Amino acid sequence: MDKAYEPHSIEQRWYAFWEQNGHFAASGEGAPYCIMIPPPNVTGSLHMGHAFQDTIMDALIRYHRMQGDNTLWQAGTDHAGIATQMVVERQLLAEGKSRHDLGREKFIERVWEWKGQSGGHITRQLRRMGASLDWSRERFTMDEGLSSAVREVFVRLHEEGLIYRGKRLVNWDPVLHTAVSDLEVISEEEQGYLWHMRYPLSDGSGHLVVATTRPETMLGDSAVAVHPEDERYKHLVGRTITLPLVGREIPIIADDYVDPAFGTGCVKITPAHDFNDYQVGLRHDLPQINVFTIDARINDEAPEQYRGLDRYEARDEIVHDLKELELIEKIEDHKLMVPRGDRSHSVIEPFLTDQWYVKVAPLAAEAIKVVEDGRIRFVPDNWKNTYFDWMRKIEDWCISRQIWWGHRIPAWYDEAGNVYVGRDEAEVRAKHNLGDTPLTQDEDVLDTWFSSALWPFSTLGWPEQTPELKSFYPTSVLVTGFDIIFFWVARMIMMGLKFMGDVPFREVYIHGLVRDAHGQKMSKSKGNVLDPIDLIDGIDLESLVQKRTTGLMQPEMAKKIEKATRKEFPDGIPAFGTDALRFTFAALASTGRDINFDLGRIEGYRNYCNKLWNAARYVLMNTEGMDCGQGGGEIEYSLADRWIRSRLQETVREVNESIQGYRFDHAAQAIYEFTWSEYCDWYLELSKPVLTGDASDAAKRGTRQTLVQVLETLLRLAHPVMPFITEEIWQRVGPLAGAEGDTLMRQPYPQANAAQVNSAAETEMGWVMEFIVGVRKIRSGMNIPPGKPLPVLLENHRDEDRERLARNATFLERLARTESITLLAEGEESPESATALVGEMRLLVPMAGLIDKAAELARLSKEIDKLAGEVERGRKKLENENFTARAPAEVVQKERDKLAEMEASLNSLREQKGKIERM
RNA sequence: GGGUGCUUAGCUCAGCUGGGAGAGCGUCGCCCUUACAAGGCGAGGGUCGGGGGUUCAAGUCCCUCAGCACCCACCA
């Protein structure tokens, strides 16, 4: 093995090996365990959120696979309608063309081309992450099978009346020229104005003042509303005003919707351009007057002078014209929520169009029930409240999009405009006896999330009743971010229940967002994005700056971003390797919280990989080609052997428990702690005196066997989190430990074995450690070089201490670097010494020539003060009768034991201090 | 306007059903001891956001205030 850990040289080799040997496929044996990958955009690339999420899923999948479950991680990608179409349109724009120049068919061809060209990118990146997805089953939301599932669901829902077409007010994106769902609209507070406009009464007897944030919509006003109880206006209800600039006579109506306290208490009602007004309009049977084109320009319904103007130009004109007519009473500053499209970021316009809808209420009712009764469990649990809140007030889902890339709606129209829904045109003709009547298919496509909602069963072959569907549905757990609970999770639950009659997954693990080191959201515009692949492979500063400053929406930010980047990464980013990255994600993955990704953390875990690597080198150095007890032969285990085996069991138990509870941070912590602080810091050191000393063959065999077996178990234990380094090492360590098979990823996952827990060994080892640490502290406190052997005297020892000393002398001599260890008889004079306690035994290092008396006194005083404080606290507690009477007996007893122990130590230290002072 | 989460060492965070404040990184000191300087050994550092309550006992439970973050919502 190389002296230093080089992730680059091992990772891709092992991935290829696993994939080529079919190790990612479900075994077909054992209890089914299945995770559906949230399909990434087919033409996208991997970001930190993916990397985090995929690490968690892969850890779960590898864990269950090793547990012997029939494990499937379903691979696939999403066509991402609007997002992908936008990318291709941007490419066309660069060629000076629009999609309309190409026409629908050519444009779609072009998107498929782009998919073919870039579609493998993200799946290659997933491979770099070590994700053990079953690629042989990879699906795409627009492949033939999934498309037919989409049509099937559409037709069946339509037959049941759960899909309908209707003219309604929708969220319209005037840049993308498509409707979007409520969820795709992001409202942000922006500074605006409140215009107070005078609307003259038709009879010339005066005017009303209406307040609005959108004066241009007045062209479509069809009423003015006041509150029915509003004394100021009650008498005007039923009369009319004449709409300025337009001349239309419109009624004054009374409606509860109006808040008399806001503005003037009079509201202009524009049913075709405002969601509230739309409802008011329905209640009062008002005309819906649409004054916009699909570009949000003024259409021909409006007076001639405004036609063709953009909505904001029209606003200026109208305000100007009203001012001329002295119809603007005042203009106030006003903060308002502006709705913007999440993709185009353009201001969304409520717009009257024909669209397709899913009637969700009946589906939602079932979907609420399964979470209420625990058939689906959210982790962490509190996310179910978010889910309920949304589901209980859910509105119908607008599923049609006026774009080209996606599943075309399976509906056809005859020349009279009648609509027929069916799986294909032939079916429609046959079913409705249409003969040769010319039919045209609906131009719209479905919302991308419509096909995503079917993902848990469509990927398994539905509507065919496949064996996969039978084995793996319902799937085990869904791992996803909170941001798509509504978009995706809720809809999968509804569709799964509807078409499979069962939940799509039993648990939903919701993870947090990956932020930068300072808790800022990563975004291109902030220039703080980290690319997981750069963390794996490393990137030099110039390339990183280049990457962060090209393609910015606001190029003026480039300077600032460059400066910040140069400051934060003066040497670029070193290559940390996939395992370190994965370990970092696992270690940061505490209960659903956002995680701040700190380079210090990944560096620490890269160091951990190196530590493991070197530990393995040491083990191999001392075991390869040697007798590790594989062939039988007498075996004797040292205290250290028994101790590390015992500690390993505790670690195994903890890791299993943690993974089962989705506490990857605890699992990572336990693995890290065991490897570094126990196996490396203590056990490997303790193995040295056995292996290099004059221990018996049986003892050497015992230690070699323990070195190898514990390491092999540790590799299996850590494999789900760090698959590459563990596989690389296991290939050499596995055989020494008697393991069979060509890969670690198919080995059994360690299970805790209570029989190997050895509390006697742990206690005695505790004594040994106390002894060694005691000497080290004296050494460090007195500035004695680590290499200098020290004489040690022991005072106030009991039988047990003497026995332990005899059994473990070689360990103590080596690790404490003693020159000699001498037992002092009771009452025997001891020289001036520095002291440490091992239980009640005093460990003395004579000062002669070594130790500064003042320093030792200071050291003792400090320790005495600390201990005295604790003793005082313990005493007070025990003197409190309320405590002794009311606290559980065991707690009180524990407190008493503790106090006694501390008092003994305190006395011992004081005695020693006195002795030194007297000398 | 509703709702959720967070506030613990200089930084990033653990701390499960209430019973002796922890880790990593950073800092300081001593060491190139033949697995590892991406390392070893040791040290320092916190009135657990403020206030109140329950309890023998509160970082942990309850109330309240403050700050931060996010989600939802039709006040023109």
Side-chain angles (χ1 to χ4, degrees):
Chain A
M1 280 169 81
D2 293 334
K3 184 168 174 182
Y5 161 65
E6 296 288 351
H8 207 76
S9 64
I10 57 177
E11 295 181 349
Q12 299 189 48
R13 181 156 48 86
W14 285 117
Y15 196 91
F17 172 83
W18 294 326
E19 189 172 0
Q20 279 154 21
N21 287 279
H23 288 314
F24 299 150
S27 64
E29 285 163 26
Y33 184 86
C34 177
I35 298 179
M36 293 282 160
I37 193 170
N41 291 3
V42 65
T43 64
S45 54
L46 199 78
H47 57 61
M48 291 295 274
H50 291 127
F52 179 35
Q53 185 174 69
D54 294 324
T55 295
I56 289 168
M57 282 186 282
D58 194 48
L60 286 169
I61 286 288
R62 287 180 185 269
Y63 174 73
H64 281 273
R65 195 184 281 123
M66 290 176 77
Q67 293 240 328
D69 292 346
N70 185 22
T71 304
L72 169 66
W73 188 8
Q74 174 66 46
T77 50
D78 189 86
H79 67 281
I82 294 178
T84 308
Q85 172 156 335
M86 278 176 76
V87 172
V88 177
E89 286 195 272
R90 216 173 297 141
Q91 292 171 358
L92 286 176
L93 193 68
E95 301 165 19
K97 286 187 258 178
S98 82
R99 75 184 211 243
H100 300 283
D101 297 332
L102 266 70
R104 184 166 190 146
E105 209 169 310
K106 283 267 180 273
F107 178 77
I108 290 175
E109 258 173 46
R110 178 77 188 246
V111 183
W112 278 106
E113 236 171 71
W114 167 238
K115 186 235 167 203
Q117 193 182 319
S118 71
H121 185 59
I122 195 158
T123 52
R124 277 193 298 277
Q125 291 182 311
L126 278 164
R127 287 175 166 91
R128 291 300 312 279
M129 286 300 299
S132 58
L133 287 144
D134 185 355
W135 298 108
S136 69
R137 299 187 44 80
E138 184 177 354
R139 303 304 297 266
F140 173 53
T141 47
M142 272 174 66
D143 67 27
E144 189 36 50
L146 269 60
S147 298
S148 94
V150 164
R151 289 191 294 270
E152 185 68 27
V153 164
F154 188 96
V155 171
R156 287 203 208 167
L157 287 175
H158 182 260
E159 281 166 356
E160 283 191 53
L162 291 172
I163 281 184
Y164 63 91
R165 186 174 149 83
K167 196 180 201 91
R168 296 251 199 117
L169 209 51
V170 294
N171 299 298
W172 183 262
D173 189 317
V175 169
L176 298 175
H177 291 177
T178 179
V180 295
S181 75
D182 298 346
L183 288 173
E184 291 157 277
V185 179
I186 313 295
S187 286
E188 278 163 2
E189 191 173 83
E190 290 178 21
Q191 191 54 245
Y193 301 97
L194 195 58
W195 284 270
H196 292 247
M197 312 190 298
R198 297 191 180 118
Y199 278 12
L201 290 159
S202 302
D203 60 12
S205 65
H207 62 258
L208 285 177
V209 178
V210 298
T212 182
T213 54
R214 302 206 51 198
E216 67 281 9
T217 64
M218 61 94 58
L219 299 174
D221 283 0
S222 54
V224 170
V226 298
H227 193 271
E229 305 302 323
D230 194 331
E231 295 300 332
R232 293 171 295 177
Y233 307 117
K234 228 171 169 175
H235 64 289
L236 296 173
V237 173
R239 294 167 66 180
T240 61
I241 62 116
T242 301
L243 196 57
L245 308 177
V246 180
R248 187 162 55 237
E249 203 170 310
I250 58 176
I252 298 167
I253 59 170
D255 197 286
D256 283 345
Y257 154 68
V258 180
D259 174 2
F262 185 87
T264 60
C266 300
V267 186
K268 60 189 275 304
I269 301 296
T270 323
H273 296 288
D274 182 282
F275 287 101
N276 291 312
D277 294 6
Y278 181 77
Q279 294 300 328
V280 174
L282 290 181
R283 286 199 285 277
H284 296 269
D285 206 21
L286 299 172
Q288 299 166 345
I289 304 164
N290 175 24
V291 296
F292 285 156
T293 66
I294 58 168
D295 297 306
R297 289 175 178 277
I298 305 299
N299 70 11
D300 293 350
E301 280 296 322
E304 212 169 328
Q305 71 265 35
Y306 305 116
R307 290 179 196 167
L309 292 180
D310 169 79
R311 52 190 158 165
Y312 299 108
E313 292 165 8
R315 172 181 299 180
D316 292 344
E317 283 296 304
I318 286 166
V319 169
H320 174 262
D321 293 349
L322 288 173
K323 270 187 185 157
E324 297 274 283
L325 296 167
E326 297 190 354
L327 293 176
I328 295 288
E329 187 157 298
K330 59 174 171 178
I331 303 173
E332 294 176 315
D333 286 342
H334 184 71
K335 280 203 174 95
L336 73 163
M337 298 298 278
V338 177
R340 290 180 181 274
D342 64 350
R343 292 285 167 192
S344 67
H345 214 65
S346 61
V347 176
I348 294 296
E349 200 60 59
F351 195 59
L352 214 45
T353 52
D354 283 307
Q355 301 290 343
W356 291 90
Y357 293 90
V358 174
K359 189 172 168 186
V360 271
L363 301 171
E366 295 300 308
I368 289 169
K369 216 178 294 168
V370 294
V371 175
E372 276 173 346
D373 65 21
R375 286 171 62 199
I376 294 180
R377 195 168 74 90
F378 277 85
V379 180
D381 188 55
N382 54 293
W383 285 109
K384 74 180 181 204
N385 298 320
T386 306
Y387 172 81
F388 287 142
D389 285 348
W390 188 68
M391 291 296 271
R392 285 180 180 141
K393 54 169 203 222
I394 194 166
E395 305 250 359
D396 285 357
W397 173 18
C398 175
I399 50 172
S400 43
R401 295 289 179 276
Q402 289 67 49
I403 59 173
W404 290 347
W405 175 241
H407 300 100
R408 194 137 169 202
I409 289 180
W412 284 261
Y413 302 88
D414 63 18
E415 284 171 320
N418 295 308
V419 59
Y420 308 98
V421 169
R423 286 161 187 82
D424 53 44
E425 191 174 329
E427 182 186 291
V428 163
R429 286 185 185 279
K431 196 167 159 196
H432 299 280
N433 282 321
L434 294 172
D436 291 335
T437 317
L439 290 176
T440 50
Q441 187 172 1
D442 197 302
E443 295 289 324
D444 293 352
V445 301
L446 288 163
D447 180 4
T448 300
W449 297 103
F450 191 89
S451 53
S452 319
L454 319 181
W455 189 249
F457 51 90
S458 64
T459 51
L460 296 174
W462 190 91
E464 302 300 319
Q465 291 306 310
T466 60
E468 288 86 351
L469 207 52
K470 200 162 178 245
S471 301
F472 296 116
Y473 193 97
T475 65
S476 309
V477 60
L478 176 76
V479 177
T480 194
F482 59 85
D483 49 330
I484 54 175
I485 290 178
F486 307 144
F487 277 109
W488 194 44
V489 180
R491 287 161 179 172
M492 278 192 285
I493 295 174
M494 292 192 279
M495 291 301 193
L497 288 169
K498 179 73 191 167
F499 291 96
M500 292 296 298
D502 202 349
V503 297
F505 28 75
R506 303 182 196 285
E507 294 186 312
V508 183
Y509 174 85
I510 302 287
H511 63 250
L513 209 65
V514 183
R515 298 168 174 279
D516 76 3
H518 315 289
Q520 293 292 308
K521 216 164 163 170
M522 287 189 192
S523 74
K524 178 85 188 158
S525 59
K526 280 189 202 142
N528 61 349
V529 173
L530 287 173
D531 182 335
I533 303 299
D534 292 343
L535 292 167
I536 293 172
D537 292 339
I539 184 168
D540 63 82
L541 179 60
E542 295 314 316
S543 307
L544 182 63
V545 167
Q546 185 71 21
K547 209 166 162 174
R548 285 185 163 189
T549 52
T550 48
L552 286 170
M553 298 275 263
Q554 303 151 287
E556 66 273 16
M557 293 295 290
K559 274 245 153 54
K560 212 177 137 190
I561 290 171
E562 176 172 355
K563 205 176 147 197
T565 302
R566 287 186 187 280
K567 191 175 167 211
E568 196 173 353
F569 309 99
D571 305 311
I573 297 174
F576 295 113
T578 300
D579 288 317
L581 178 61
R582 290 174 56 123
F583 203 92
T584 308
F585 282 130
L588 292 173
S590 54
T591 51
R593 283 182 57 153
D594 287 354
I595 63 176
N596 294 352
F597 197 91
D598 184 1
L599 278 203
R601 237 19 222 264
I602 190 172
E603 192 185 340
Y605 294 125
R606 190 269 321 261
N607 294 354
Y608 168 74
C609 291
N610 188 52
K611 188 76 177 174
L612 180 62
W613 182 262
N614 281 294
R617 282 179 59 226
Y618 170 80
V619 171
L620 289 170
M621 219 176 269
N622 285 287
T623 53
E624 253 175 340
M626 297 178 205
D627 182 359
C628 303
Q630 304 98 315
E634 200 194 335
I635 287 201
E636 188 187 313
Y637 293 126
S638 72
L639 169 67
D641 294 333
R642 283 173 278 130
W643 170 77
I644 196 69
R645 285 171 183 273
S646 180
R647 295 305 307 149
L648 176 64
Q649 295 317 311
E650 171 59 18
T651 307
V652 166
R653 191 192 58 73
E654 214 174 313
V655 171
N656 272 282
E657 207 176 279
S658 300
I659 294 180
Q660 278 160 23
Y662 299 105
R663 289 306 303 262
F664 304 97
D665 56 333
H666 288 171
Q669 173 83 11
I671 290 169
Y672 183 98
E673 191 73 20
F674 175 80
T675 311
W676 204 310
S677 310
E678 301 192 300
Y679 189 65
C680 291
D681 285 351
W682 286 103
Y683 182 68
L684 294 192
E685 293 308 319
L686 290 167
S687 74
K688 289 173 186 174
V690 177
L691 297 178
T692 60
D694 50 6
S696 68
D697 285 351
K700 286 185 175 173
R701 232 184 330 256
T703 291
R704 283 197 203 103
Q705 190 193 59
T706 305
L707 275 172
V708 156
Q709 285 180 348
V710 171
L711 178 58
E712 196 270 343
T713 307
L714 176 60
L715 294 171
R716 282 184 284 131
L717 197 65
H719 181 259
V721 179
M722 34 192 349
F724 295 114
I725 186 175
T726 50
E727 178 76 274
E728 173 76 16
I729 298 171
W730 185 85
Q731 291 289 331
R732 292 184 58 180
V733 169
L736 296 173
E740 285 170 23
D742 65 343
T743 176
L744 171 55
M745 65 174 285
R746 289 284 185 181
Q747 297 297 309
Y749 201 73
Q751 297 301 318
N753 177 1
Q756 286 202 21
V757 174
N758 187 333
S759 59
E762 296 207 22
T763 308
E764 184 157 328
M765 186 63 196
W767 181 91
V768 169
M769 288 165 136
E770 232 182 316
F771 190 112
I772 294 166
V773 170
V775 177
R776 284 175 180 170
K777 278 185 179 168
I778 291 172
R779 205 185 278 281
S780 175
M782 297 299 114
N783 261 332
I784 302 165
K788 185 175 176 62
L790 294 177
V792 170
L793 308 175
L794 299 177
E795 210 174 41
N796 196 29
H797 37 77
R798 293 176 303 179
D799 288 349
E800 196 178 44
D801 294 316
R802 288 186 287 274
E803 286 159 22
R804 284 171 172 172
L805 175 63
R807 282 196 292 264
N808 300 299
T810 50
F811 288 151
L812 302 177
E813 283 160 10
R814 177 73 171 255
L815 271 72
R817 292 248 172 183
T818 58
E819 177 191 87
S820 59
I821 301 176
T822 313
L823 288 162
L824 293 178
E826 206 169 330
E828 188 177 341
E829 270 306 299
S830 59
E832 213 174 23
S833 303
T835 309
L837 292 177
V838 181
E840 291 186 25
M841 177 172 79
R842 267 199 301 275
L843 190 157
L844 307 175
V845 177
M847 289 180 161
L850 287 172
I851 292 171
D852 176 357
K853 184 170 164 180
E856 174 60 8
L857 282 172
R859 210 177 63 91
L860 278 174
S861 298
K862 205 171 115 195
E863 221 163 304
I864 286 167
D865 288 350
K866 204 169 120 197
L867 205 51
E870 281 177 50
V871 165
E872 184 58 22
R873 233 179 45 191
R875 243 185 226 143
K876 275 214 174 112
K877 199 166 185 180
L878 283 161
E879 279 164 11
N880 181 351
E881 279 178 32
N882 275 327
F883 173 68
T884 47
R886 300 204 196 187
E890 75 222 43
V891 173
V892 176
Q893 191 51 48
K894 202 171 145 195
E895 202 65 32
R896 286 206 172 103
D897 295 348
K898 202 169 74 190
L899 182 62
E901 203 178 297
M902 288 191 303
E903 277 174 330
S905 301
L906 187 59
N907 286 339
S908 187
L909 288 176
R910 280 187 172 142
E911 200 180 303
Q912 177 64 14
K913 190 181 168 208
K915 213 151 110 189
I916 298 180
E917 275 165 347
R918 285 193 298 277
M919 280 176 176

PDB file of all heavy atoms in Angstrom, chain A residues 195-208:
ATOM      1  N   TRP A 195     -52.367  53.635  -5.389  1.00  0.00           N
ATOM      2  CA  TRP A 195     -52.957  54.772  -6.085  1.00  0.00           C
ATOM      3  C   TRP A 195     -54.413  54.944  -5.648  1.00  0.00           C
ATOM      4  O   TRP A 195     -55.175  53.961  -5.676  1.00  0.00           O
ATOM      5  CB  TRP A 195     -52.918  54.556  -7.596  1.00  0.00           C
ATOM      6  CG  TRP A 195     -51.567  54.759  -8.197  1.00  0.00           C
ATOM      7  CD1 TRP A 195     -51.060  55.924  -8.682  1.00  0.00           C
ATOM      8  CD2 TRP A 195     -50.545  53.764  -8.419  1.00  0.00           C
ATOM      9  NE1 TRP A 195     -49.795  55.738  -9.180  1.00  0.00           N
ATOM     10  CE2 TRP A 195     -49.446  54.419  -9.028  1.00  0.00           C
ATOM     11  CE3 TRP A 195     -50.439  52.400  -8.145  1.00  0.00           C
ATOM     12  CZ2 TRP A 195     -48.280  53.748  -9.382  1.00  0.00           C
ATOM     13  CZ3 TRP A 195     -49.295  51.734  -8.493  1.00  0.00           C
ATOM     14  CH2 TRP A 195     -48.216  52.401  -9.103  1.00  0.00           C
ATOM     15  N   HIS A 196     -54.775  56.140  -5.260  1.00  0.00           N
ATOM     16  CA  HIS A 196     -56.173  56.412  -4.913  1.00  0.00           C
ATOM     17  C   HIS A 196     -56.821  57.107  -6.105  1.00  0.00           C
ATOM     18  O   HIS A 196     -56.419  58.207  -6.470  1.00  0.00           O
ATOM     19  CB  HIS A 196     -56.247  57.305  -3.668  1.00  0.00           C
ATOM     20  CG  HIS A 196     -55.758  56.596  -2.431  1.00  0.00           C
ATOM     21  ND1 HIS A 196     -56.578  56.266  -1.382  1.00  0.00           N
ATOM     22  CD2 HIS A 196     -54.525  56.133  -2.091  1.00  0.00           C
ATOM     23  CE1 HIS A 196     -55.873  55.648  -0.453  1.00  0.00           C
ATOM     24  NE2 HIS A 196     -54.620  55.556  -0.863  1.00  0.00           N
ATOM     25  N   MET A 197     -57.792  56.437  -6.685  1.00  0.00           N
ATOM     26  CA  MET A 197     -58.378  56.953  -7.927  1.00  0.00           C
ATOM     27  C   MET A 197     -59.860  57.301  -7.721  1.00  0.00           C
ATOM     28  O   MET A 197     -60.575  56.580  -7.041  1.00  0.00           O
ATOM     29  CB  MET A 197     -58.268  55.895  -9.034  1.00  0.00           C
ATOM     30  CG  MET A 197     -56.864  55.282  -9.136  1.00  0.00           C
ATOM     31  SD  MET A 197     -56.645  54.252 -10.597  1.00  0.00           S
ATOM     32  CE  MET A 197     -57.837  52.984 -10.314  1.00  0.00           C
ATOM     33  N   ARG A 198     -60.239  58.384  -8.327  1.00  0.00           N
ATOM     34  CA  ARG A 198     -61.643  58.793  -8.212  1.00  0.00           C
ATOM     35  C   ARG A 198     -62.457  58.165  -9.327  1.00  0.00           C
ATOM     36  O   ARG A 198     -62.101  58.262 -10.508  1.00  0.00           O
ATOM     37  CB  ARG A 198     -61.764  60.321  -8.330  1.00  0.00           C
ATOM     38  CG  ARG A 198     -61.068  61.050  -7.217  1.00  0.00           C
ATOM     39  CD  ARG A 198     -61.441  62.535  -7.207  1.00  0.00           C
ATOM     40  NE  ARG A 198     -60.746  63.187  -6.116  1.00  0.00           N
ATOM     41  CZ  ARG A 198     -59.839  64.175  -6.282  1.00  0.00           C
ATOM     42  NH1 ARG A 198     -59.559  64.615  -7.490  1.00  0.00           N
ATOM     43  NH2 ARG A 198     -59.252  64.683  -5.224  1.00  0.00           N
ATOM     44  N   TYR A 199     -63.528  57.500  -8.935  1.00  0.00           N
ATOM     45  CA  TYR A 199     -64.449  56.944  -9.927  1.00  0.00           C
ATOM     46  C   TYR A 199     -65.754  57.735  -9.838  1.00  0.00           C
ATOM     47  O   TYR A 199     -66.452  57.671  -8.831  1.00  0.00           O
ATOM     48  CB  TYR A 199     -64.726  55.460  -9.626  1.00  0.00           C
ATOM     49  CG  TYR A 199     -63.660  54.488 -10.126  1.00  0.00           C
ATOM     50  CD1 TYR A 199     -62.413  54.927 -10.576  1.00  0.00           C
ATOM     51  CD2 TYR A 199     -63.917  53.115 -10.141  1.00  0.00           C
ATOM     52  CE1 TYR A 199     -61.460  54.039 -11.021  1.00  0.00           C
ATOM     53  CE2 TYR A 199     -62.967  52.220 -10.581  1.00  0.00           C
ATOM     54  CZ  TYR A 199     -61.730  52.676 -11.022  1.00  0.00           C
ATOM     55  OH  TYR A 199     -60.795  51.783 -11.457  1.00  0.00           O
ATOM     56  N   PRO A 200     -66.108  58.508 -10.875  1.00  0.00           N
ATOM     57  CA  PRO A 200     -67.304  59.353 -10.811  1.00  0.00           C
ATOM     58  C   PRO A 200     -68.589  58.528 -10.839  1.00  0.00           C
ATOM     59  O   PRO A 200     -68.696  57.557 -11.598  1.00  0.00           O
ATOM     60  CB  PRO A 200     -67.216  60.194 -12.083  1.00  0.00           C
ATOM     61  CG  PRO A 200     -65.879  59.914 -12.675  1.00  0.00           C
ATOM     62  CD  PRO A 200     -65.387  58.643 -12.140  1.00  0.00           C
ATOM     63  N   LEU A 201     -69.531  58.917 -10.003  1.00  0.00           N
ATOM     64  CA  LEU A 201     -70.851  58.289 -10.055  1.00  0.00           C
ATOM     65  C   LEU A 201     -71.485  58.654 -11.400  1.00  0.00           C
ATOM     66  O   LEU A 201     -71.328  59.784 -11.891  1.00  0.00           O
ATOM     67  CB  LEU A 201     -71.711  58.778  -8.896  1.00  0.00           C
ATOM     68  CG  LEU A 201     -71.245  58.256  -7.532  1.00  0.00           C
ATOM     69  CD1 LEU A 201     -71.778  59.136  -6.410  1.00  0.00           C
ATOM     70  CD2 LEU A 201     -71.652  56.814  -7.337  1.00  0.00           C
ATOM     71  N   SER A 202     -72.248  57.704 -11.946  1.00  0.00           N
ATOM     72  CA  SER A 202     -72.788  57.923 -13.286  1.00  0.00           C
ATOM     73  C   SER A 202     -73.758  59.096 -13.336  1.00  0.00           C
ATOM     74  O   SER A 202     -73.890  59.774 -14.347  1.00  0.00           O
ATOM     75  CB  SER A 202     -73.497  56.660 -13.787  1.00  0.00           C
ATOM     76  OG  SER A 202     -72.594  55.586 -13.795  1.00  0.00           O
ATOM     77  N   ASP A 203     -74.431  59.330 -12.187  1.00  0.00           N
ATOM     78  CA  ASP A 203     -75.419  60.412 -12.207  1.00  0.00           C
ATOM     79  C   ASP A 203     -74.793  61.770 -11.940  1.00  0.00           C
ATOM     80  O   ASP A 203     -75.492  62.770 -11.772  1.00  0.00           O
ATOM     81  CB  ASP A 203     -76.529  60.116 -11.192  1.00  0.00           C
ATOM     82  CG  ASP A 203     -75.988  59.998  -9.776  1.00  0.00           C
ATOM     83  OD1 ASP A 203     -74.806  60.367  -9.552  1.00  0.00           O
ATOM     84  OD2 ASP A 203     -76.706  59.527  -8.899  1.00  0.00           O
ATOM     85  N   GLY A 204     -73.491  61.781 -11.858  1.00  0.00           N
ATOM     86  CA  GLY A 204     -72.816  63.067 -11.721  1.00  0.00           C
ATOM     87  C   GLY A 204     -72.890  63.652 -10.332  1.00  0.00           C
ATOM     88  O   GLY A 204     -72.467  64.776 -10.094  1.00  0.00           O
ATOM     89  N   SER A 205     -73.361  62.845  -9.357  1.00  0.00           N
ATOM     90  CA  SER A 205     -73.556  63.400  -8.015  1.00  0.00           C
ATOM     91  C   SER A 205     -72.305  63.333  -7.153  1.00  0.00           C
ATOM     92  O   SER A 205     -72.367  63.575  -5.971  1.00  0.00           O
ATOM     93  CB  SER A 205     -74.706  62.661  -7.323  1.00  0.00           C
ATOM     94  OG  SER A 205     -74.352  61.309  -7.122  1.00  0.00           O
ATOM     95  N   GLY A 206     -71.186  62.934  -7.742  1.00  0.00           N
ATOM     96  CA  GLY A 206     -69.969  62.871  -6.938  1.00  0.00           C
ATOM     97  C   GLY A 206     -69.089  61.723  -7.409  1.00  0.00           C
ATOM     98  O   GLY A 206     -69.193  61.295  -8.555  1.00  0.00           O
ATOM     99  N   HIS A 207     -68.244  61.253  -6.499  1.00  0.00           N
ATOM    100  CA  HIS A 207     -67.371  60.146  -6.903  1.00  0.00           C
ATOM    101  C   HIS A 207     -67.026  59.274  -5.700  1.00  0.00           C
ATOM    102  O   HIS A 207     -67.201  59.682  -4.551  1.00  0.00           O
ATOM    103  CB  HIS A 207     -66.085  60.685  -7.543  1.00  0.00           C
ATOM    104  CG  HIS A 207     -65.272  61.516  -6.598  1.00  0.00           C
ATOM    105  ND1 HIS A 207     -65.269  62.903  -6.650  1.00  0.00           N
ATOM    106  CD2 HIS A 207     -64.472  61.173  -5.566  1.00  0.00           C
ATOM    107  CE1 HIS A 207     -64.477  63.351  -5.684  1.00  0.00           C
ATOM    108  NE2 HIS A 207     -63.993  62.329  -5.012  1.00  0.00           N
ATOM    109  N   LEU A 208     -66.530  58.071  -5.996  1.00  0.00           N
ATOM    110  CA  LEU A 208     -65.957  57.191  -4.979  1.00  0.00           C
ATOM    111  C   LEU A 208     -64.466  57.180  -5.200  1.00  0.00           C
ATOM    112  O   LEU A 208     -64.008  57.365  -6.324  1.00  0.00           O
ATOM    113  CB  LEU A 208     -66.486  55.769  -5.155  1.00  0.00           C
ATOM    114  CG  LEU A 208     -67.925  55.495  -4.721  1.00  0.00           C
ATOM    115  CD1 LEU A 208     -68.277  54.056  -5.045  1.00  0.00           C
ATOM    116  CD2 LEU A 208     -68.069  55.770  -3.238  1.00  0.00           C
TER     117      LEU A 208
END
